[in-house]
Amino acid sequence: MADNVLDIGDLHVSYATDRGPLRVLRGVGLTVATGGITGIVGESGCGKSTLIAAILGLLPGNAEIGGGSIRLDGQELLGLDEAGMRLLRGNGLALISQNPMAAFNPVLTIGRQLTDIQYRHAIPTALKRQRIVDMFVRVGIVDPERRLAAYPGQLSGGMLQRVAIAAALLTRPRLLIADEPTTALDVTLEAQILALLRAQHGTTILFISHHLGAVATLCDQVAVMYAGTVVETGPVAKVFADPRHPYTRRLIAADPGHLAIGGGLLPTIPGRVPDLTQPPSGCVFAPPAAWRWRGDAGP
Ligand SMILES: Nc1ncnc2c1ncn2[C@@H]1O[C@H](COP(=O)(O)OP(=O)(O)OP(=O)(O)O)[C@@H](O)[C@H]1O
Ligand SMILES: [Mg+2]
């Protein structure tokens, strides 16, 4: 088995827009170690979902891959045809998204849908249903038999996210990608879902979140993205305790979890992200770019 399940090198992706190409990923490099949990943090619009879509081969029609590589267990995904990608999405890659409702067909029962996703397994339907029930128990779904008969709309958001995780795990993915899976949940449910993901020993996970606390709780490694590049990467404890890049420092300082109780105004990162149809040359954050683009006195 390769050391890294996922190995992304110098990935460039742009979107065609009325204002010209929007260079959303500009040389992204990222590895996810086998069996590890890697977090991606970075503010809205920095390209996290674009990166996920590129991995899954689900970029929209106006996207163009400008170069680089995405290897899953050593296999190059860029250039793979749709049939090959579909095969991978069936068992190599699994996605848990922010909105579990969108992941399910509202007019089919949960049992039917989770049976269907096991179409690759040549086992009787009764056994498939048993696998679902076992997985439901593993992800903490009470009364699992009854849930099989339910329609997605009959389950709460937290419960449906557990079902989505169960569905993903049923395919035994080589890489489980979770794009903001707890953003729509309250803090209690978020903690439960994080504990659940953490308990899936051996499952390699790429976890995207705005919530630094969630990343600190769940992940071993973290990659900090800013304006289409990974500006810093390393073990979570090290990066959060001793950030090297000024953007990481700002991101941590702006995290509500770092506010003292009754501590007044929420810190924000001043200025704005650079216009990626005309990105500045060189570093997009460090001086003088940071002063120019983020409109403050620098790191
Ligand atoms: N199909 C598209 N065409 C043009 N621009 C797009 C398209 N999809 C996304 N963008 C733009 O690309 C940039 C990166 O978007 P992306 O969704 O990857 O960011 P993100 O980091 O996932 O943000 P968020 O944290 O809000 O989910 C944004 O400026 C977004 O508006
Ligand atoms: Mg996103």
mmCIF file of all heavy atoms in Angstrom, residues 126-166:
data_model
loop_
_atom_site.group_PDB
_atom_site.id
_atom_site.type_symbol
_atom_site.label_atom_id
_atom_site.label_comp_id
_atom_site.label_asym_id
_atom_site.label_seq_id
_atom_site.Cartn_x
_atom_site.Cartn_y
_atom_site.Cartn_z
ATOM 1 N N ALA A 126 -30.951 -9.689 1.334
ATOM 2 C CA ALA A 126 -31.100 -9.791 2.794
ATOM 3 C C ALA A 126 -29.764 -9.514 3.493
ATOM 4 O O ALA A 126 -29.709 -8.859 4.539
ATOM 5 C CB ALA A 126 -31.613 -11.176 3.171
ATOM 6 N N LEU A 127 -28.687 -9.977 2.867
ATOM 7 C CA LEU A 127 -27.356 -9.773 3.447
ATOM 8 C C LEU A 127 -26.950 -8.293 3.335
ATOM 9 O O LEU A 127 -26.315 -7.740 4.239
ATOM 10 C CB LEU A 127 -26.351 -10.657 2.704
ATOM 11 C CG LEU A 127 -25.195 -11.219 3.515
ATOM 12 C CD1 LEU A 127 -25.689 -11.955 4.739
ATOM 13 C CD2 LEU A 127 -24.338 -12.148 2.636
ATOM 14 N N LYS A 128 -27.336 -7.688 2.209
ATOM 15 C CA LYS A 128 -27.050 -6.259 2.042
ATOM 16 C C LYS A 128 -27.767 -5.449 3.126
ATOM 17 O O LYS A 128 -27.200 -4.522 3.699
ATOM 18 C CB LYS A 128 -27.497 -5.778 0.652
ATOM 19 C CG LYS A 128 -26.608 -6.305 -0.464
ATOM 20 C CD LYS A 128 -27.030 -5.810 -1.825
ATOM 21 C CE LYS A 128 -26.122 -6.404 -2.892
ATOM 22 N NZ LYS A 128 -26.523 -6.085 -4.244
ATOM 23 N N ARG A 129 -29.007 -5.828 3.389
ATOM 24 C CA ARG A 129 -29.761 -5.112 4.433
ATOM 25 C C ARG A 129 -29.122 -5.336 5.796
ATOM 26 O O ARG A 129 -29.055 -4.432 6.623
ATOM 27 C CB ARG A 129 -31.230 -5.548 4.421
ATOM 28 C CG ARG A 129 -31.968 -5.043 3.194
ATOM 29 C CD ARG A 129 -33.405 -5.505 3.170
ATOM 30 N NE ARG A 129 -34.310 -4.723 4.000
ATOM 31 C CZ ARG A 129 -34.869 -3.576 3.628
ATOM 32 N NH1 ARG A 129 -34.591 -3.058 2.454
ATOM 33 N NH2 ARG A 129 -35.682 -2.935 4.436
ATOM 34 N N GLN A 130 -28.597 -6.528 6.013
ATOM 35 C CA GLN A 130 -27.928 -6.804 7.282
ATOM 36 C C GLN A 130 -26.663 -5.948 7.411
ATOM 37 O O GLN A 130 -26.345 -5.429 8.484
ATOM 38 C CB GLN A 130 -27.578 -8.299 7.386
ATOM 39 C CG GLN A 130 -27.054 -8.703 8.763
ATOM 40 C CD GLN A 130 -28.018 -8.312 9.895
ATOM 41 O OE1 GLN A 130 -29.218 -8.580 9.830
ATOM 42 N NE2 GLN A 130 -27.501 -7.641 10.922
ATOM 43 N N ARG A 131 -25.941 -5.797 6.279
ATOM 44 C CA ARG A 131 -24.740 -4.936 6.303
ATOM 45 C C ARG A 131 -25.117 -3.499 6.676
ATOM 46 O O ARG A 131 -24.382 -2.815 7.391
ATOM 47 C CB ARG A 131 -24.048 -4.922 4.930
ATOM 48 C CG ARG A 131 -23.251 -6.170 4.610
ATOM 49 C CD ARG A 131 -22.438 -5.957 3.346
ATOM 50 N NE ARG A 131 -21.248 -5.156 3.589
ATOM 51 C CZ ARG A 131 -20.772 -4.241 2.753
ATOM 52 N NH1 ARG A 131 -21.377 -4.001 1.610
ATOM 53 N NH2 ARG A 131 -19.704 -3.553 3.049
ATOM 54 N N ILE A 132 -26.262 -3.046 6.153
ATOM 55 C CA ILE A 132 -26.703 -1.672 6.468
ATOM 56 C C ILE A 132 -27.012 -1.559 7.966
ATOM 57 O O ILE A 132 -26.568 -0.619 8.633
ATOM 58 C CB ILE A 132 -27.966 -1.287 5.655
ATOM 59 C CG1 ILE A 132 -27.698 -1.392 4.154
ATOM 60 C CG2 ILE A 132 -28.410 0.134 6.007
ATOM 61 C CD1 ILE A 132 -28.962 -1.289 3.300
ATOM 62 N N VAL A 133 -27.751 -2.534 8.470
ATOM 63 C CA VAL A 133 -28.119 -2.498 9.890
ATOM 64 C C VAL A 133 -26.851 -2.501 10.745
ATOM 65 O O VAL A 133 -26.711 -1.710 11.691
ATOM 66 C CB VAL A 133 -29.043 -3.692 10.240
ATOM 67 C CG1 VAL A 133 -29.192 -3.830 11.752
ATOM 68 C CG2 VAL A 133 -30.404 -3.514 9.577
ATOM 69 N N ASP A 134 -25.893 -3.356 10.397
ATOM 70 C CA ASP A 134 -24.633 -3.407 11.159
ATOM 71 C C ASP A 134 -23.919 -2.055 11.108
ATOM 72 O O ASP A 134 -23.371 -1.585 12.106
ATOM 73 C CB ASP A 134 -23.699 -4.490 10.593
ATOM 74 C CG ASP A 134 -24.254 -5.892 10.833
ATOM 75 O OD1 ASP A 134 -25.196 -6.016 11.638
ATOM 76 O OD2 ASP A 134 -23.755 -6.839 10.200
ATOM 77 N N MET A 135 -23.937 -1.449 9.922
ATOM 78 C CA MET A 135 -23.267 -0.148 9.776
ATOM 79 C C MET A 135 -24.009 0.932 10.558
ATOM 80 O O MET A 135 -23.389 1.813 11.166
ATOM 81 C CB MET A 135 -23.169 0.222 8.287
ATOM 82 C CG MET A 135 -22.252 1.385 8.001
ATOM 83 S SD MET A 135 -20.553 1.139 8.577
ATOM 84 C CE MET A 135 -19.869 0.164 7.231
ATOM 85 N N PHE A 136 -25.335 0.854 10.557
ATOM 86 C CA PHE A 136 -26.132 1.818 11.333
ATOM 87 C C PHE A 136 -25.770 1.720 12.821
ATOM 88 O O PHE A 136 -25.644 2.732 13.509
ATOM 89 C CB PHE A 136 -27.631 1.572 11.133
ATOM 90 C CG PHE A 136 -28.198 2.200 9.878
ATOM 91 C CD1 PHE A 136 -27.367 2.835 8.971
ATOM 92 C CD2 PHE A 136 -29.554 2.163 9.612
ATOM 93 C CE1 PHE A 136 -27.871 3.422 7.810
ATOM 94 C CE2 PHE A 136 -30.077 2.749 8.468
ATOM 95 C CZ PHE A 136 -29.240 3.368 7.570
ATOM 96 N N VAL A 137 -25.599 0.504 13.296
ATOM 97 C CA VAL A 137 -25.223 0.324 14.703
ATOM 98 C C VAL A 137 -23.849 0.960 14.932
ATOM 99 O O VAL A 137 -23.630 1.687 15.902
ATOM 100 C CB VAL A 137 -25.214 -1.186 15.073
ATOM 101 C CG1 VAL A 137 -24.611 -1.393 16.462
ATOM 102 C CG2 VAL A 137 -26.626 -1.749 15.002
ATOM 103 N N ARG A 138 -22.948 0.718 13.967
ATOM 104 C CA ARG A 138 -21.588 1.259 14.100
ATOM 105 C C ARG A 138 -21.572 2.788 14.141
ATOM 106 O O ARG A 138 -20.733 3.383 14.817
ATOM 107 C CB ARG A 138 -20.743 0.748 12.914
ATOM 108 C CG ARG A 138 -19.306 1.194 12.932
ATOM 109 C CD ARG A 138 -18.511 0.407 11.897
ATOM 110 N NE ARG A 138 -17.444 1.183 11.313
ATOM 111 C CZ ARG A 138 -16.734 0.826 10.250
ATOM 112 N NH1 ARG A 138 -16.976 -0.321 9.645
ATOM 113 N NH2 ARG A 138 -15.778 1.597 9.796
ATOM 114 N N VAL A 139 -22.487 3.430 13.419
ATOM 115 C CA VAL A 139 -22.494 4.903 13.415
ATOM 116 C C VAL A 139 -23.507 5.480 14.412
ATOM 117 O O VAL A 139 -23.819 6.670 14.353
ATOM 118 C CB VAL A 139 -22.731 5.485 11.992
ATOM 119 C CG1 VAL A 139 -21.679 5.004 11.019
ATOM 120 C CG2 VAL A 139 -24.123 5.164 11.483
ATOM 121 N N GLY A 140 -24.019 4.625 15.298
ATOM 122 C CA GLY A 140 -24.843 5.118 16.399
ATOM 123 C C GLY A 140 -26.269 5.459 16.031
ATOM 124 O O GLY A 140 -26.867 6.356 16.628
ATOM 125 N N ILE A 141 -26.824 4.781 15.031
ATOM 126 C CA ILE A 141 -28.229 5.019 14.680
ATOM 127 C C ILE A 141 -29.093 4.045 15.482
ATOM 128 O O ILE A 141 -28.956 2.828 15.342
ATOM 129 C CB ILE A 141 -28.452 4.828 13.159
ATOM 130 C CG1 ILE A 141 -27.715 5.934 12.396
ATOM 131 C CG2 ILE A 141 -29.947 4.813 12.824
ATOM 132 C CD1 ILE A 141 -27.731 5.781 10.895
ATOM 133 N N VAL A 142 -29.958 4.635 16.318
ATOM 134 C CA VAL A 142 -30.813 3.772 17.136
ATOM 135 C C VAL A 142 -31.988 3.271 16.288
ATOM 136 O O VAL A 142 -32.399 3.921 15.334
ATOM 137 C CB VAL A 142 -31.335 4.499 18.406
ATOM 138 C CG1 VAL A 142 -30.212 4.710 19.405
ATOM 139 C CG2 VAL A 142 -31.990 5.816 18.046
ATOM 140 N N ASP A 143 -32.474 2.113 16.669
ATOM 141 C CA ASP A 143 -33.610 1.522 15.969
ATOM 142 C C ASP A 143 -33.325 1.356 14.468
ATOM 143 O O ASP A 143 -34.091 1.808 13.608
ATOM 144 C CB ASP A 143 -34.830 2.442 16.177
ATOM 145 C CG ASP A 143 -36.108 1.661 16.228
ATOM 146 O OD1 ASP A 143 -36.054 0.434 15.994
ATOM 147 O OD2 ASP A 143 -37.168 2.277 16.480
ATOM 148 N N PRO A 144 -32.216 0.733 14.124
ATOM 149 C CA PRO A 144 -31.779 0.711 12.721
ATOM 150 C C PRO A 144 -32.764 0.075 11.754
ATOM 151 O O PRO A 144 -32.936 0.574 10.637
ATOM 152 C CB PRO A 144 -30.468 -0.078 12.761
ATOM 153 C CG PRO A 144 -30.455 -0.799 14.050
ATOM 154 C CD PRO A 144 -31.288 -0.001 14.996
ATOM 155 N N GLU A 145 -33.456 -0.989 12.176
ATOM 156 C CA GLU A 145 -34.397 -1.664 11.273
ATOM 157 C C GLU A 145 -35.487 -0.693 10.804
ATOM 158 O O GLU A 145 -35.854 -0.680 9.628
ATOM 159 C CB GLU A 145 -35.059 -2.852 11.978
ATOM 160 C CG GLU A 145 -34.106 -3.952 12.418
ATOM 161 C CD GLU A 145 -33.761 -4.920 11.297
ATOM 162 O OE1 GLU A 145 -34.257 -4.712 10.170
ATOM 163 O OE2 GLU A 145 -32.985 -5.860 11.550
ATOM 164 N N ARG A 146 -35.978 0.115 11.754
ATOM 165 C CA ARG A 146 -37.066 1.033 11.423
ATOM 166 C C ARG A 146 -36.589 2.127 10.462
ATOM 167 O O ARG A 146 -37.331 2.572 9.594
ATOM 168 C CB ARG A 146 -37.613 1.664 12.711
ATOM 169 C CG ARG A 146 -39.049 2.168 12.586
ATOM 170 C CD ARG A 146 -39.692 2.254 13.970
ATOM 171 N NE ARG A 146 -38.968 3.177 14.835
ATOM 172 C CZ ARG A 146 -39.209 4.495 14.880
ATOM 173 N NH1 ARG A 146 -40.131 5.018 14.113
ATOM 174 N NH2 ARG A 146 -38.534 5.274 15.693
ATOM 175 N N ARG A 147 -35.313 2.535 10.596
ATOM 176 C CA ARG A 147 -34.777 3.599 9.713
ATOM 177 C C ARG A 147 -34.751 3.145 8.255
ATOM 178 O O ARG A 147 -34.832 3.965 7.345
ATOM 179 C CB ARG A 147 -33.349 3.984 10.111
ATOM 180 C CG ARG A 147 -33.186 4.407 11.540
ATOM 181 C CD ARG A 147 -33.943 5.658 11.860
ATOM 182 N NE ARG A 147 -33.789 5.976 13.274
ATOM 183 C CZ ARG A 147 -34.631 6.731 13.962
ATOM 184 N NH1 ARG A 147 -35.682 7.259 13.387
ATOM 185 N NH2 ARG A 147 -34.409 6.959 15.235
ATOM 186 N N LEU A 148 -34.607 1.863 8.033
ATOM 187 C CA LEU A 148 -34.549 1.363 6.656
ATOM 188 C C LEU A 148 -35.820 1.699 5.888
ATOM 189 O O LEU A 148 -35.780 1.954 4.686
ATOM 190 C CB LEU A 148 -34.335 -0.161 6.647
ATOM 191 C CG LEU A 148 -32.992 -0.689 7.130
ATOM 192 C CD1 LEU A 148 -32.932 -2.203 6.988
ATOM 193 C CD2 LEU A 148 -31.846 -0.058 6.343
ATOM 194 N N ALA A 149 -36.954 1.717 6.599
ATOM 195 C CA ALA A 149 -38.237 1.967 5.943
ATOM 196 C C ALA A 149 -38.528 3.454 5.792
ATOM 197 O O ALA A 149 -39.487 3.844 5.125
ATOM 198 C CB ALA A 149 -39.351 1.290 6.738
ATOM 199 N N ALA A 150 -37.676 4.307 6.413
ATOM 200 C CA ALA A 150 -37.960 5.750 6.404
ATOM 201 C C ALA A 150 -37.531 6.385 5.076
ATOM 202 O O ALA A 150 -36.642 5.885 4.378
ATOM 203 C CB ALA A 150 -37.214 6.413 7.558
ATOM 204 N N TYR A 151 -38.180 7.498 4.754
ATOM 205 C CA TYR A 151 -37.759 8.331 3.624
ATOM 206 C C TYR A 151 -36.840 9.424 4.163
ATOM 207 O O TYR A 151 -36.958 9.802 5.346
ATOM 208 C CB TYR A 151 -38.981 8.937 2.932
ATOM 209 C CG TYR A 151 -39.788 7.897 2.188
ATOM 210 C CD1 TYR A 151 -40.799 7.182 2.835
ATOM 211 C CD2 TYR A 151 -39.501 7.591 0.861
ATOM 212 C CE1 TYR A 151 -41.516 6.194 2.165
ATOM 213 C CE2 TYR A 151 -40.208 6.609 0.180
ATOM 214 C CZ TYR A 151 -41.200 5.909 0.836
ATOM 215 O OH TYR A 151 -41.894 4.928 0.182
ATOM 216 N N PRO A 152 -35.925 9.943 3.335
ATOM 217 C CA PRO A 152 -34.968 10.936 3.834
ATOM 218 C C PRO A 152 -35.623 12.088 4.591
ATOM 219 O O PRO A 152 -35.132 12.502 5.637
ATOM 220 C CB PRO A 152 -34.281 11.429 2.555
ATOM 221 C CG PRO A 152 -34.339 10.251 1.634
ATOM 222 C CD PRO A 152 -35.650 9.577 1.925
ATOM 223 N N GLY A 153 -36.759 12.578 4.081
ATOM 224 C CA GLY A 153 -37.430 13.727 4.704
ATOM 225 C C GLY A 153 -37.965 13.439 6.098
ATOM 226 O O GLY A 153 -38.320 14.355 6.824
ATOM 227 N N GLN A 154 -38.027 12.155 6.460
ATOM 228 C CA GLN A 154 -38.552 11.803 7.794
ATOM 229 C C GLN A 154 -37.458 11.795 8.860
ATOM 230 O O GLN A 154 -37.737 11.571 10.027
ATOM 231 C CB GLN A 154 -39.233 10.430 7.736
ATOM 232 C CG GLN A 154 -40.476 10.428 6.856
ATOM 233 C CD GLN A 154 -41.041 9.026 6.673
ATOM 234 O OE1 GLN A 154 -40.348 8.086 6.307
ATOM 235 N NE2 GLN A 154 -42.338 8.890 6.949
ATOM 236 N N LEU A 155 -36.208 11.992 8.441
ATOM 237 C CA LEU A 155 -35.101 11.962 9.404
ATOM 238 C C LEU A 155 -34.582 13.377 9.649
ATOM 239 O O LEU A 155 -34.598 14.216 8.751
ATOM 240 C CB LEU A 155 -33.962 11.078 8.894
ATOM 241 C CG LEU A 155 -34.319 9.622 8.577
ATOM 242 C CD1 LEU A 155 -33.083 8.856 8.125
ATOM 243 C CD2 LEU A 155 -34.938 8.944 9.801
ATOM 244 N N SER A 156 -34.069 13.597 10.866
ATOM 245 C CA SER A 156 -33.491 14.913 11.175
ATOM 246 C C SER A 156 -32.163 15.071 10.436
ATOM 247 O O SER A 156 -31.585 14.093 9.959
ATOM 248 C CB SER A 156 -33.247 15.024 12.677
ATOM 249 O OG SER A 156 -32.200 14.132 13.043
ATOM 250 N N GLY A 157 -31.662 16.318 10.383
ATOM 251 C CA GLY A 157 -30.402 16.582 9.682
ATOM 252 C C GLY A 157 -29.240 15.782 10.252
ATOM 253 O O GLY A 157 -28.434 15.219 9.510
ATOM 254 N N GLY A 158 -29.175 15.723 11.584
ATOM 255 C CA GLY A 158 -28.073 14.985 12.232
ATOM 256 C C GLY A 158 -28.144 13.500 11.936
ATOM 257 O O GLY A 158 -27.141 12.848 11.650
ATOM 258 N N MET A 159 -29.388 12.965 11.982
ATOM 259 C CA MET A 159 -29.588 11.539 11.705
ATOM 260 C C MET A 159 -29.236 11.225 10.250
ATOM 261 O O MET A 159 -28.583 10.221 9.945
ATOM 262 C CB MET A 159 -31.050 11.180 11.994
ATOM 263 C CG MET A 159 -31.402 9.744 11.722
ATOM 264 S SD MET A 159 -30.581 8.637 12.872
ATOM 265 C CE MET A 159 -31.523 8.945 14.357
ATOM 266 N N LEU A 160 -29.666 12.131 9.361
ATOM 267 C CA LEU A 160 -29.401 11.910 7.936
ATOM 268 C C LEU A 160 -27.900 11.972 7.642
ATOM 269 O O LEU A 160 -27.386 11.239 6.792
ATOM 270 C CB LEU A 160 -30.155 12.972 7.125
ATOM 271 C CG LEU A 160 -30.616 12.562 5.732
ATOM 272 C CD1 LEU A 160 -31.389 11.256 5.754
ATOM 273 C CD2 LEU A 160 -31.462 13.666 5.119
ATOM 274 N N GLN A 161 -27.180 12.830 8.387
ATOM 275 C CA GLN A 161 -25.729 12.885 8.186
ATOM 276 C C GLN A 161 -25.093 11.569 8.641
ATOM 277 O O GLN A 161 -24.147 11.080 8.024
ATOM 278 C CB GLN A 161 -25.143 14.097 8.924
ATOM 279 C CG GLN A 161 -23.734 14.493 8.512
ATOM 280 C CD GLN A 161 -23.607 14.850 7.028
ATOM 281 O OE1 GLN A 161 -23.816 13.996 6.147
ATOM 282 N NE2 GLN A 161 -23.251 16.085 6.728
ATOM 283 N N ARG A 162 -25.622 10.974 9.711
ATOM 284 C CA ARG A 162 -25.124 9.647 10.132
ATOM 285 C C ARG A 162 -25.399 8.610 9.054
ATOM 286 O O ARG A 162 -24.555 7.745 8.771
ATOM 287 C CB ARG A 162 -25.831 9.200 11.417
ATOM 288 C CG ARG A 162 -25.242 9.779 12.669
ATOM 289 C CD ARG A 162 -26.016 9.308 13.886
ATOM 290 N NE ARG A 162 -25.731 10.169 15.016
ATOM 291 C CZ ARG A 162 -24.749 9.947 15.901
ATOM 292 N NH1 ARG A 162 -24.016 8.888 15.809
ATOM 293 N NH2 ARG A 162 -24.523 10.799 16.871
ATOM 294 N N VAL A 163 -26.580 8.699 8.446
ATOM 295 C CA VAL A 163 -26.915 7.753 7.366
ATOM 296 C C VAL A 163 -25.947 7.954 6.191
ATOM 297 O O VAL A 163 -25.473 6.988 5.587
ATOM 298 C CB VAL A 163 -28.389 7.929 6.911
ATOM 299 C CG1 VAL A 163 -28.677 7.076 5.684
ATOM 300 C CG2 VAL A 163 -29.342 7.581 8.037
ATOM 301 N N ALA A 164 -25.635 9.238 5.903
ATOM 302 C CA ALA A 164 -24.702 9.526 4.798
ATOM 303 C C ALA A 164 -23.317 8.944 5.097
ATOM 304 O O ALA A 164 -22.644 8.417 4.202
ATOM 305 C CB ALA A 164 -24.612 11.041 4.577
ATOM 306 N N ILE A 165 -22.903 9.043 6.347
ATOM 307 C CA ILE A 165 -21.599 8.476 6.733
ATOM 308 C C ILE A 165 -21.644 6.945 6.618
ATOM 309 O O ILE A 165 -20.715 6.321 6.098
ATOM 310 C CB ILE A 165 -21.204 8.930 8.156
ATOM 311 C CG1 ILE A 165 -20.925 10.434 8.146
ATOM 312 C CG2 ILE A 165 -19.987 8.158 8.658
ATOM 313 C CD1 ILE A 165 -20.752 11.054 9.523
ATOM 314 N N ALA A 166 -22.759 6.367 7.064
ATOM 315 C CA ALA A 166 -22.918 4.911 6.938
ATOM 316 C C ALA A 166 -22.857 4.504 5.465
ATOM 317 O O ALA A 166 -22.188 3.518 5.107
ATOM 318 C CB ALA A 166 -24.251 4.477 7.560
#
